[in-house]
Amino acid sequence: MRQRQPRQHSGGVAMGEAVRRIVDLPANIPKRGLSKHEAAAYCGCETMDAFNTWVKRKIVPGPIPGTSRWDRLAIDAALDRLSGLAKDKGDDFDQWARKNAD
């Protein structure tokens, strides 16, 4: 009996493999979508309770709507704004927060 070969898509990778396989980013490219634990560590929170408090108090934004991932650049913008480092661009985080309010 002849074995069936996996179908190929345009990149030459078997279709099932293309769906499952994610390539790690090179070390010099920081990932943007962070898990909750990664976001907490990125913010320097020592506990998840501390991070949850920061999110509840809107010190940092919650996850990207419809996901369980935090945007590293949104965290940066929020912390820059609170620490006085943000450029005067009309508080992009505040605009984002209003647009994405529950």
Side-chain angles (χ1 to χ4, degrees):
M1 180 178 257
R2 187 173 161 204
Q3 249 186 2
R4 187 174 158 194
Q5 295 294 322
R7 289 186 348 179
Q8 302 285 316
H9 71 69
S10 61
V13 178
M15 286 179 71
E17 183 181 343
V19 173
R20 290 188 300 261
R21 192 170 131 215
I22 305 259
V23 177
D24 290 331
L25 290 172
N28 65 333
I29 300 175
K31 77 176 165 179
R32 183 158 174 187
L34 305 175
S35 70
K36 188 173 188 177
H37 285 87
E38 290 168 333
Y42 183 73
C43 289
C45 293
E46 293 185 8
T47 66
M48 290 308 297
D49 285 341
F51 183 69
N52 291 334
T53 299
W54 280 29
V55 172
K56 186 176 180 179
R57 292 179 50 206
K58 301 197 185 296
I59 293 171
V60 295
I64 299 166
T67 75
S68 58
R69 293 287 170 177
W70 270 252
D71 185 330
R72 179 180 51 81
L73 297 181
I75 291 170
D76 286 345
L79 295 177
D80 286 352
R81 181 181 58 82
L82 289 172
S83 65
L85 296 175
K87 298 173 186 149
D88 189 13
K89 294 184 350 181
D91 286 330
D92 291 337
F93 172 70
D94 288 336
Q95 292 173 8
W96 178 90
R98 282 193 299 275
K99 179 181 173 189
N100 293 291
D102 295 12

